[in-house]
């Protein structure tokens, strides 16, 4: 071992020791069966941690971060002291409510009381809430517990001190805020600082980690898959169902029996249902208890994904495989090395170069008339897809369409149509869904826009330029090694975007620095034992608030989970079932899917099986081919509902019994959607012929004269010649782009045009009235001057 390596390990060990010594063991709350689960969790961590180093960066201080008390919801109390309620009155006398109110207000205002309460976990917010509840309880209860009644009576009669109320106040506060009494246990449950210790089976073996690093189309995944196929047993973990399907088919075609496991599908090659030695799965579905010889984790850079990163973390730390082959961007190399250091496992890195080059062109396309066979126009919204495909069709060209919400079968069908050399379709219009999972024969990638809706760390949606990583992922689809185009090209549709794209692609990809984590069902169950009256959404909020993570990790965004939890909160379900329902992967933007989710949960809570007939009645099956875009969107939503049924059927087999029938119906629906997508331009025309025809005209005007916008601008700046025509041209261009970007709907555009026309007429009439009035005033002034003379 080199001297540099020894110094590096020594410095890491020093930091590890310094962070560990700052931690102290806190006392637990009063005895409960939940503490048994907690003790078991701690015991597993201690056993697994014997050979595991940990790095605590975000929690170096010995004092844990204060909880977010705004998440603490007071619990309503069941007050029934009828048995001993009269004892206090018999021993003393009835309490004077007016005098009692004065006593309580004096108690509330004492700084010493507030400080003591803060020392016991009641900050200003909780202290105020607890006091309001305590005051209401004391003043409105017909009978109080005997001990409290006697204390209050003594204080009112000047025989006691107001501070004597404090123990009873704290007793009440802990009843309405039960988390105060077991805060240390809650902190231990939500301690996420050493996630490697969650997987004792993986820690029990010495794994070899091989990182296959390279850009898209470099063969990195190919080399990992070759080792996977040669092994006695293996698991492939991919980010998409399409990728899992591809490996499943490739493996079986190579004579290596392979099963398929996704959230909505289980396909076993053995007719008796026995598991094959190899399995291809979506990464969330991989087993961390089954031993394998080889595991492949694809697209490892997604470990930093704000929503799904936890699945890559779980696979990397938890898979029980002798060899872990990791495929992804070079930007992840250093971080994966660092992460594997915490498990005591070394990383071997194999780097690859792109097999075919791609170049950034020096000119933008600017006009759809300049499209060539093998072009792919990349958009970041459905409205762009609809608008551009309509304009391409108006030029007598055929185009394939691929976007994220299309069923996998429809995506494959459109990809096959585009790739087929005998098919007249030579243009592809797609979203960034083409970045993974589809083999496409693309010559030139054309970015229609560089702005994409994104979700930030706070879960807020925002529009921002695509990252270097995203730009490279999409650009890399041009000139694939297996396609007929041996070199790729990348450019933009609009001239102004091209220097921006060059700037983005000139930067190196930001190195990955953190990995995602997510609370498990077991952790939430332990939380729920201590907080039985809290809602699931509130439980998760408190968990995240109290959680402590190593500086290498972050807690993934849980907004979708909370959205579903709040939606079904009123439905009576046990905690485990409620948790499973809330982890269902649904598109919350689709109202019909959300309504279906709610009905599924309600039917499930009644213990009534969701049969095929029940589902068909709900979705209105059979369904006809779409007549317009609205119908197509609804069919996509129905497909998502079938996906939801299939996903739940593998978690609750008895309650979702008709898996085979639903899957067969979903295939029929996929065919109907494919038919609709093949005729998408007709559907767009049927949806709103006025706006699409105007967009077509605008598109021809704008792109038919390359640089017409700039030339009209030049003419405008050279003495206002052609001002009216130039303004109209710019207005048309702006209107079409606003509609295409989804910032304006066709209805709103027409309404704005009507209002603009009305405003112009009103402005003209007002101006005429002012001119007339001004003229009359001048005439009157002239007459008055003549009279004075």
């Amino acid at each position: 071992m080199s001297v540099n390596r020894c110094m590096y390990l020594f410095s890491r060990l020093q930091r590890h020791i310094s962070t560990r010594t700052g931690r102290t063991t806190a006392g637990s709350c009063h005895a409960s069966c939940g503490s048994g689960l907690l003790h078991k969790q701690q015991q597993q961590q201690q056993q697994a941690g014997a050979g595991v180093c940990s790095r605590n960066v975000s929690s170096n201080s010995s004092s844990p971060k204060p909880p977010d008390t705004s998440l603490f919801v007071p619990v309503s109390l069941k007050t029934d002291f009828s048995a001993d309620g009269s004892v206090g009155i018999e021993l003393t006398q009835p309490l004077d409510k007016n005098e009692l109110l004065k006593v309580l207000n004096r108690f509330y205002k004492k700084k010493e009381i507030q400080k003591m309460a803060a020392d016991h976990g009641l900050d200003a917010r909780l202290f105020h809430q607890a006091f309001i509840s305590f005051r209401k309880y004391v003043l409105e209860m017909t009978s109080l517990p005997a001990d409290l009644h006697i204390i209050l009576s003594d204080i009112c009669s000047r025989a006691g001190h107001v501070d004597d109320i404090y123990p009873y106040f704290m007793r009440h506060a802990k009843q309405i805020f039960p988390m105060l009494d077991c805060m240390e246990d809650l902190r231990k449950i939500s301690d996420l600082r050493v996630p490697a210790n969650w997987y004792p089976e993986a820690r029990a073996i010495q794994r070899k980690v091989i990182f296959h690093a390279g850009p898209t189309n470099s063969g990195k995944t190919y080399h990992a898959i070759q080792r996977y196929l040669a092994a006695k047993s293996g698991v492939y973990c991919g980010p998409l169902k399409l990728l899992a399907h591809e490996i499943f088919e490739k493996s079986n075609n190579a004579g290596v029996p392979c099963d398929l496991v996704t959230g909505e599908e289980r396909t076993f090659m053995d007719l008796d249902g026995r598991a094959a030695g190899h399995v291809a799965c979506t990464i969330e579905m991989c087993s961390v208890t089954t031993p394998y010889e080889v595991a492949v984790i694809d697209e490892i850079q997604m470990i930093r994904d704000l929503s799904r990163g936890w699945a890559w973390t779980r696979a990397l730390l938890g898979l029980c495989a002798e060899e872990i082959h990791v495929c992804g961007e070079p930007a992840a190399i250093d971080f994966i090395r660092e992460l594997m250091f915490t498990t005591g496992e070394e990383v071997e890195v194999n780097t690859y170069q792109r097999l075919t080059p791609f170049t950034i062109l020096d000119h933008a396309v600017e006009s759809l008339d300049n499209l060539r066979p093998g072009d792919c126009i990349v958009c970041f919204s459905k409205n762009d897809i609809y608008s551009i495909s309509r304009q391409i069709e108006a030029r007598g060209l055929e185009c394939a369409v691929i976007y994220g919400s299309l069923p996998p079968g429809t995506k494959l069908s459109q990809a096959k149509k585009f790739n087929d050399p005998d098919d007249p379709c030579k243009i592809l219009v797609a979203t960034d869904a083409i970045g993974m999972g589809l083999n496409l024969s693309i010559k030139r990638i054309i970015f229609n826009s560089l702005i994409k809706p994104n979700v930030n760390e706070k879960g807020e949606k925002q529009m921002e330029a695509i990252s270097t990583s995203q730009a490279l992922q999409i650009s890399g689809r041009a000139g694939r090694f297996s396609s007929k185009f041996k070199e790729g090209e990348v450019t933009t549709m609009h001239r102004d975007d091209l220097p921006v794209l060059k700037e983005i692609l000139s930067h190196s990809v930001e190195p990955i620095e953190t990995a995602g984590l997510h609370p498990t069902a077991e952790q939430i169950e332990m939380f729920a034992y201590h907080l039985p009256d809290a809602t699931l959404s509130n439980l998760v909020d408190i968990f995240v608030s109290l959680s402590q993570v190593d500086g290498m990790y972050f807690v993934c965004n849980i907004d979708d989970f909370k959205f579903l939890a709040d939606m079904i909160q009123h439905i009576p379900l046990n905690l485990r079932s409620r948790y499973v329902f809330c982890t269902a992967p649904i598109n919350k933007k689709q109202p019909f899917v959300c309504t279906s989710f709610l009905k599924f949960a309600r039917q499930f809570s009644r213990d009534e099986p969701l049969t095929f007939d029940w589902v068909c009645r709900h979705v209105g099956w059979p369904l006809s081919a779409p007549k317009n875009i609205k119908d197509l969107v609804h069919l996509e939503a129905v497909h998502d509902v079938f996906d939801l049924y299939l996903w739940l059927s593998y978690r609750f087999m008895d309650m979702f019994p008709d898996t085979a029938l639903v899957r067969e119906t979903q295939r029929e629906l996929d065919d109907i959607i494919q038919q609709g997508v093949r005729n998408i331009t007709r559907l767009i025309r049927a949806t709103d012929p006025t706006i699409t025809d105007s967009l077509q005209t605008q598109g021809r005007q704008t792109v038919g004269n390359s640089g017409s916008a700039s030339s009209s601008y030049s003419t405008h700046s050279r003495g206002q010649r052609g001002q009216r025509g130039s303004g109209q041209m710019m207005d048309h261009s702006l209107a079409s782009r606003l509609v295409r970007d989804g910032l304006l709907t066709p209805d709103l555009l027409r309404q704005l045009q009507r209002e603009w026309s009305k405003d112009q007429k009103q402005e003209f009439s007002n101006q005429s009235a002012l001119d007339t009035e001004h003229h009359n005033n001048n005439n009157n002034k002239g007459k008055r001057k003549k009279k004075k003379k």
Side-chain angles (χ1 to χ4, degrees):
M1 185 181 291
S2 67
V3 174
N4 289 336
R5 179 65 177 166
C6 289
M7 293 299 295
Y8 172 70
L9 293 177
F10 181 69
S11 65
R12 290 297 304 275
L13 183 61
Q14 280 186 319
R15 178 167 53 178
H16 170 65
I17 293 172
S18 64
T19 54
R20 296 290 290 176
T21 53
R23 297 177 60 187
T24 57
T25 305
S28 62
C29 65
H30 53 279
S32 66
C33 66
S35 62
L37 288 170
L38 181 59
H39 176 69
K40 182 180 178 182
Q41 184 191 39
Q42 292 170 337
Q43 205 171 38
Q44 285 179 348
Q45 288 187 355
Q46 290 169 358
Q47 290 172 353
V52 177
C53 301
S54 77
R55 179 181 76 162
N56 293 329
V57 175
S58 64
S59 21
N60 285 340
S61 59
S62 58
S63 58
K65 64 177 181 179
D68 182 0
T69 56
S70 65
L71 303 173
F72 293 2
V73 180
V75 175
S76 57
L77 295 179
K78 296 178 181 178
T79 52
D80 182 15
F81 301 108
S82 55
D84 66 340
S86 59
V87 175
I89 299 176
E90 293 173 2
L91 293 177
T92 57
Q93 58 185 359
L95 296 171
D96 182 352
K97 300 293 184 181
N98 290 329
E99 185 63 29
L100 191 56
L101 180 59
K102 294 178 183 177
V103 169
L104 291 173
N105 286 338
R106 285 206 313 273
F107 171 81
Y108 174 72
K109 293 176 181 178
K110 291 197 69 172
K111 299 295 183 184
E112 296 84 353
I113 296 296
Q114 295 176 17
K115 187 176 183 307
M116 280 198 298
D119 293 340
H120 285 87
L122 285 178
D123 62 8
R125 178 198 296 270
L126 294 186
F127 179 76
H128 178 73
Q129 286 184 290
F131 174 75
I132 297 298
S133 175
F134 182 68
R135 184 177 66 187
K136 182 179 179 182
Y137 165 73
V138 169
L139 295 177
E140 295 183 5
M141 284 296 297
T142 55
S143 58
L144 294 171
D147 54 350
L148 178 58
H149 186 103
I150 294 170
I151 288 293
L152 293 174
S153 177
D154 288 348
I155 296 172
C156 289
S157 60
R158 308 292 188 273
H161 195 276
V162 69
D163 290 0
D164 297 340
I165 299 175
Y166 181 76
Y168 302 95
F169 167 75
M170 282 304 300
R171 180 175 69 184
H172 180 87
K174 289 181 178 181
Q175 287 175 331
I176 65 169
F177 294 117
M179 62 285 296
L180 295 175
D181 216 18
C182 52
M183 186 61 70
E184 292 306 322
D185 270 357
L186 296 180
R187 288 189 188 279
K188 290 174 185 175
I189 296 168
S190 58
D191 189 344
L192 308 179
R193 284 177 289 189
V194 194
N197 291 352
W198 302 350
Y199 310 103
E201 292 92 344
R203 301 291 77 77
I205 62 175
Q206 186 63 30
R207 307 180 307 170
K208 181 180 180 182
V209 181
I210 299 98
F211 195 125
H212 300 270
T216 56
N217 195 25
S218 60
K220 56 185 183 296
T221 306
Y222 169 81
H223 287 87
I225 293 301
Q226 291 305 111
R227 179 66 187 95
Y228 163 84
L229 295 175
K232 296 177 182 176
S233 62
V235 57
Y236 168 83
C237 308
L240 300 173
K241 287 183 281 187
L242 284 173
L243 286 170
H245 270 277
E246 181 184 342
I247 301 303
F248 165 73
E249 292 176 356
K250 185 177 293 185
S251 183
N252 285 298
N253 290 339
V256 179
C258 177
D259 296 336
L260 176 68
V261 178
T262 70
E264 300 81 16
E265 188 175 0
R266 308 284 191 281
T267 302
F268 297 100
M269 296 309 296
D270 188 274
L271 297 178
D272 297 329
R274 287 190 295 268
H278 290 69
V279 60
C281 64
T282 46
I283 195 157
E284 287 87 353
M285 300 304 299
C286 70
S287 169
V288 293
T289 56
T290 306
Y292 300 102
E293 182 182 347
V294 169
V296 177
I297 303 175
D298 209 356
E299 306 294 351
I300 189 62
Q301 68 274 5
M302 291 189 70
I303 199 169
R304 67 174 166 192
D305 187 83
L306 296 177
S307 299
R308 298 178 64 199
W310 63 269
W312 276 262
T313 306
R314 173 177 172 270
L316 185 59
L317 296 178
L319 280 172
C320 297
E322 297 171 24
E323 291 181 20
I324 307 285
H325 290 258
V326 177
C327 306
E329 295 176 355
I333 294 175
D334 290 341
F335 178 75
I336 298 303
R337 274 187 173 139
E338 185 84 351
L339 198 61
M340 291 297 95
F341 179 83
T342 67
T343 63
E345 295 162 338
E346 294 186 2
V347 178
E348 174 188 322
V349 178
N350 297 330
T351 56
Y352 304 86
Q353 301 300 318
R354 184 175 166 86
L355 298 174
T356 56
F358 76 81
T359 56
I360 307 172
L361 300 180
D362 291 326
H363 56 275
V365 175
E366 297 193 80
S367 169
L368 295 178
D369 293 329
N370 296 328
L371 294 179
R372 305 194 301 251
D375 279 350
C376 172
I377 304 174
V378 177
C379 313
F380 294 111
S381 76
K382 275 189 183 180
N383 285 336
D384 282 4
I385 295 275
Y386 299 152
S387 173
I388 290 175
S389 57
R390 173 74 177 91
Q391 293 181 53
I392 291 173
E393 184 265 352
R395 287 164 169 76
L397 301 173
E398 285 192 35
C399 67
V401 172
I402 296 175
Y403 51 87
S405 59
L406 286 177
T410 305
K411 290 177 186 173
L412 289 171
S413 172
Q414 290 290 297
K416 183 179 179 182
K417 176 183 178 182
F418 174 69
N419 290 337
D420 187 354
D422 299 325
D423 196 291
C425 171
K426 302 300 179 188
I427 308 295
L428 175 63
V429 184
T431 64
D432 54 342
I434 64 165
M436 293 181 191
L438 291 169
N439 291 316
L440 296 163
S441 186
I442 299 172
K443 170 64 174 176
R444 182 171 61 168
I445 289 285
I446 304 167
F447 284 92
N448 184 62
S449 169
L450 298 174
I451 305 298
K452 179 184 177 183
N454 199 7
V455 178
N456 62 20
E457 294 178 359
K458 297 179 181 178
E460 300 165 343
K461 195 168 183 179
Q462 59 188 20
M463 303 293 289
E464 61 183 15
I466 58 175
S467 66
T468 301
S469 176
Q470 291 168 333
L472 286 170
Q473 187 78 29
I474 297 167
S475 301
R477 310 308 288 180
R480 298 281 291 180
F481 179 70
S482 56
S483 73
K484 64 181 180 180
F485 301 112
K486 300 308 177 187
E487 290 187 12
E489 298 173 347
V490 180
T491 186
T492 60
M493 178 62 71
H494 306 288
R495 188 186 305 171
D496 294 342
D497 288 340
L498 188 55
V500 179
L501 176 63
K502 289 183 177 180
E503 175 77 13
I504 292 172
L505 291 174
S506 68
H507 296 154
S508 57
V509 178
E510 290 185 9
I512 294 172
E513 297 178 344
T514 52
L517 295 174
H518 194 280
T520 64
E522 291 76 17
Q523 289 167 329
I524 297 300
E525 280 181 340
M526 286 192 280
F527 244 59
Y529 175 81
H530 294 295
L531 307 175
D533 297 306
T535 66
L536 179 56
S537 178
N538 190 230
L539 279 175
V540 174
D541 269 337
I542 296 174
F543 184 98
V544 174
S545 169
L546 293 177
S547 64
Q548 299 179 71
V549 294
D550 187 311
M552 299 175 71
Y553 300 97
F554 66 93
V555 179
C556 284
N557 190 293
I558 55 170
D559 285 349
D560 288 351
F561 183 95
K562 287 168 55 185
F563 174 82
L564 298 181
D566 289 334
M567 190 191 300
I568 62 172
Q569 182 54 44
H570 64 287
I571 298 176
L573 295 169
N574 64 59
L575 182 66
R576 180 58 72 112
S577 298
R578 189 181 299 277
Y579 181 93
V580 171
F581 264 85
C582 293
T583 55
I586 76 168
N587 182 2
K588 66 179 183 182
K589 297 177 186 176
Q590 285 279 9
F592 183 72
V593 178
C594 293
T595 302
S596 304
F597 174 79
L598 195 60
K599 288 186 177 182
F600 281 15
R602 190 176 290 119
Q603 184 83 349
F604 181 91
S605 71
R606 298 183 188 129
D607 205 23
E608 298 176 6
L610 287 84
T611 62
F612 175 70
D613 291 338
W614 184 92
V615 175
C616 287
R617 285 196 302 273
H618 168 63
V619 301
W621 186 262
L623 294 164
S624 57
K627 297 181 176 63
N628 50 46
I629 289 296
K630 184 178 178 182
D631 290 349
L632 180 61
V633 171
H634 178 69
L635 292 180
E636 292 168 7
V638 174
H639 192 280
D640 287 347
V641 171
F642 287 153
D643 262 347
L644 174 62
Y645 183 98
L646 295 171
W647 190 91
L648 290 168
S649 71
Y650 290 108
R651 279 82 182 165
F652 308 105
M653 295 183 183
D654 294 340
M655 298 299 293
F656 297 83
D658 296 330
T659 305
L661 289 171
V662 170
R663 189 178 304 285
E664 183 60 35
T665 305
Q666 191 183 42
R667 291 194 187 100
E668 294 179 31
L669 177 60
D670 201 336
D671 293 338
I672 296 173
I673 293 174
Q674 288 182 39
Q675 179 184 343
V677 173
R678 281 195 297 269
N679 300 312
I680 193 165
T681 52
R682 180 177 58 79
L683 301 185
I684 298 169
R685 209 164 39 235
T687 301
D688 197 334
T690 306
I691 191 64
T692 53
D693 288 342
S694 66
L695 281 175
Q696 175 188 338
T697 305
Q698 293 159 15
R700 281 179 173 165
Q701 287 177 343
T702 303
V703 300
N705 306 295
S706 60
S708 60
S710 59
S711 63
S712 64
Y713 178 78
S714 300
T715 304
H716 175 78
S717 62
R718 286 196 308 265
Q720 312 296 323
R721 187 163 52 92
Q723 183 174 2
R724 182 178 179 84
S726 173
Q728 287 177 340
M729 180 74 74
M730 293 296 288
D731 181 61
H732 284 324
S733 177
L734 175 62
S736 63
R737 291 194 70 173
L738 286 173
V739 171
R740 189 178 65 243
D741 292 340
L743 302 174
L744 266 183
T745 64
D747 290 338
L748 280 175
L749 179 58
R750 284 194 296 272
Q751 184 178 345
L752 284 171
Q753 289 170 341
R754 287 194 296 269
E755 291 179 2
W756 176 260
S757 177
K758 188 186 297 182
D759 289 344
Q760 282 186 320
K761 289 178 181 178
Q762 183 66 38
E763 185 179 348
F764 178 76
S765 61
N766 290 343
Q767 186 64 41
S768 299
L770 286 172
D771 290 345
T772 304
E773 184 179 353
H774 181 69
H775 180 70
N776 292 337
N777 288 340
N778 287 340
N779 288 340
N780 291 336
K781 286 179 182 179
K783 289 178 181 178
R784 282 196 295 271
K785 286 180 181 178
K786 287 180 181 179
K787 287 181 180 179
K788 285 180 182 179
K789 287 180 180 178

